[in-house]
Structure formats: C-alpha cells, structure tokens
Amino acid sequence: MGGGGVRLLILGGTGDAAELARRVVEIPALEVRVSLAGRTRQPGEVSGLVRVGGFGGVAGLVDYLEAEKIDLLVDATHPFAAKISENAAVAAKQTGIRNLMLVRPGWEKLPGDDWYEVESVEAAAEMLPSLGKRVFLTIGRQQLDRFSHLHDTWFLMRSIDPPETQIPGGKLLCDRGPFSLDNEKQLLQKYQIDTLVSKNSGGDATYAKIIAARELGIKVIMIQRPPIPHGEKVTDVDAALKWLKEFP
Ligand code: NAP
C-alpha cells in the first residue's frame, strides 16, 4: 500500500470519472490519482492528483502502477476508449491489482426512434450516403476524417476542440456538453438536418440530441460500442463508491 492509505488510480476523461474523483473524499482512507489522456486542451475541473498523457502501452502502465504503488484501479474511461480499457485490464492482471470498470449503460431504442445501428465509425460513413444529405455528425473530433470523402453530403460537426485532421465539408461548432433539448432541436431545424450520426455513449449529458431527433422524425445512425474487457463492472458512480468502500 502507498504511504497514507489505499492508493486509487482513476482512469478518466469522462463526467463519471470527474464525479467519482470528487466523491471519493467520502472515503478518507483512499488516496486518489486521476489520469487523463490529454486530448482536450482545457479539461473540465478534476479533483485529486491529476496526471496527463499516455503511459506508453501496457508496459508503461505496469511501470506506473508499480512506481506509484497503486492498490486499486477504476477504469472510468469513455465506452469508446477501447484501447486504454484493454491495457488497464491486462496491466491489472499482470500486477495483481483489482480493476473495476465503470461502464454507464448504453441508450436503448425507444418508440419513435428511427435508428440504423452500425458497428463502427467506418460502417456509419459507408451507410450515410444512402440515408441523408444534411448530417449532424457528433462523434467527437478524432475520426471526422473518415467522412471527408463524402463530397455530396453537408456536415454540421461538433467537438470540444477543433479537429487536427482533415474534416468533411460543412460547419464546425466547438462546444462542450451538457446540451439542452431546446438547443439540440434548434440546431437540427436551423441547419435542416435529415440524419444524425452518434456513438452510443449513454448517459444524460449528450442524450438530448437523441430525443430531439426522435421528436423531429430525424434518422439516427447509431454506432455500437466496442467490446469491453472481462472483469468486474458497475454502471454508475454510486456503485463504484460502494465497491471502493470495501477496501479501507
Ligand atoms: P483509446 O483509443 O482507448 O486510447 C488510446 C491511447 O490513449 C491509450 O493507449 C493511452 O496511451 C492513451 N489514453 C487513453 N485514455 C487515457 C487516460 N485516461 N489516461 C492516460 N492515457 C490514456 O482512447 P481515446 O478513445 O483516444 O480516448 C482518450 C480519452 O478521451 C479517454 O480518457 C476517454 O475517456 C476520453 N473520451 C473518449 C471518447 C471517445 O469517443 N473515444 C469520448 C469522450 C471522452 P498509452 O498506450 O500511451 O498509455
């Protein structure tokens, strides 16, 4: 164990990770570190000792866990951040550290939803020309280039920071959620959007666009989540805290 008590590393980059970091103060025996990938220029406020940047694969993560004498790991990364979750699961196994995955539930299709479910961003790009011409592309900024060959489609894109890669033709909005239903409806109407492309991220912060599409009869290409590693899982912050309270 680390000096002051049980040392916890939270792998972050999500609202759930930030909330967990804020609330682990409820457990005085825990000393917490939070790791961010460093993708956003100005990350939201995060409690605890924060480190930023990749570890250097599984080997780098194992080195970090050992050097920092980490006792427990909570992987609270985004459901689409598959690489870091896989690395965390492998590194935890190698070091014998308990790893809890905090995986919020995906959104479920409801009556009125016109969803086209696909397995990947690439599959969404392949399907898109057969569905729509004016598209709201809300997949973050890292994979926008997968759509840049679609010259007959107009894109409204939204990401926290401007993309570094080539983006498709259209308009870019830099904004950070949560977004209100009114905001999302106005955007869809103002730009005459006929199709929304979204990852099935789950959670409340970005769900309004899905409700707006349902209410306005707009098609949604919903990108399914990548597989999650085997291991211990909870679906919300309360359950993660309960799990952590077992380790003083
Ligand atoms: P990824 O593909 O799973 O990871 C790529 C590499 O980035 C990892 O191998 C690791 O580098 C580094 N990395 C990722 N998360 C890290 C963390 N929390 N701390 C330290 N290094 C990290 O991840 P991604 O999809 O690029 O996502 C990056 C971050 O953005 C994650 O923290 C995630 O929670 C957040 N995020 C992602 C999405 C999304 O749609 N993908 C959406 C919202 C937020 P090394 O191998 O060098 O350790």
Side-chain angles (χ1 to χ4, degrees):
M1 270 186 211
V6 178
R7 264 197 199 168
L8 165 68
L9 174 65
I10 300 173
L11 297 173
T14 59
D16 282 344
E19 189 192 335
L20 181 64
R22 215 169 27 248
R23 289 183 54 197
V24 284
V25 293
E26 291 172 22
I27 312 174
L30 283 184
E31 206 186 295
V32 69
R33 281 152 174 63
V34 181
S35 175
L36 303 176
R39 297 282 188 276
T40 44
R41 286 182 195 162
Q42 281 191 307
E45 202 168 309
V46 181
S47 319
L49 247 171
V50 179
R51 67 160 301 283
V52 181
F55 296 97
V58 172
L61 181 52
V62 166
D63 286 349
Y64 177 88
L65 294 171
E66 289 177 346
E68 294 294 318
K69 299 188 169 47
I70 301 296
D71 301 301
L72 292 172
L73 189 56
V74 174
D75 171 9
T77 57
H78 191 269
F80 280 80
K83 187 73 204 143
I84 187 69
S85 291
E86 182 59 34
N87 289 357
V90 175
K93 205 165 180 189
Q94 278 185 24
T95 51
I97 292 172
R98 291 275 293 273
N99 176 33
L100 180 73
M101 284 169 266
L102 169 48
V103 190
R104 61 194 180 200
W107 297 317
E108 302 280 343
K109 189 175 170 200
L110 294 181
D113 280 328
D114 188 10
W115 284 14
Y116 298 77
E117 296 183 73
V118 295
E119 278 191 2
S120 63
V121 170
E122 288 75 14
E126 206 174 308
M127 178 183 275
L128 192 51
S130 67
L131 286 184
K133 283 256 172 275
R134 295 186 62 83
V135 175
F136 189 16
L137 185 54
T138 58
I139 57 163
R141 74 192 162 114
Q142 293 189 73
Q143 293 160 301
L144 292 175
D145 60 344
R146 312 293 201 279
F147 295 81
S148 44
H149 61 289
L150 298 175
H151 301 296
D152 295 333
T153 311
W154 186 89
F155 290 92
L156 177 66
M157 294 155 276
R158 182 168 64 196
S159 59
I160 296 177
D161 292 318
E164 279 150 17
T165 53
Q166 197 193 354
I167 62 167
K171 183 178 173 64
L172 176 73
L173 301 174
C174 287
D175 206 353
R176 186 193 294 260
F179 302 104
S180 71
L181 182 56
D182 270 359
N183 180 80
E184 303 300 59
K185 274 179 143 172
Q186 271 175 29
L187 280 182
L188 293 174
Q189 287 175 316
K190 177 174 176 193
Y191 294 102
Q192 297 171 300
I193 299 299
D194 55 39
T195 310
L196 167 71
V197 179
S198 173
K199 292 176 173 173
N200 192 340
S201 299
D204 296 335
T206 58
Y207 188 56
K209 65 189 174 190
I210 308 299
I211 304 174
R214 180 187 308 139
E215 292 186 1
L216 296 171
I218 288 170
K219 294 173 277 237
V220 178
I221 299 185
M222 186 63 82
I223 303 166
Q224 305 288 71
R225 296 171 169 204
I228 302 165
H230 291 293
E232 294 181 83
K233 291 180 189 78
V234 290
T235 55
D236 60 35
V237 172
D238 284 341
L241 281 165
K242 193 164 168 241
W243 185 88
L244 287 167
K245 282 176 185 163
E246 290 168 17
F247 296 97

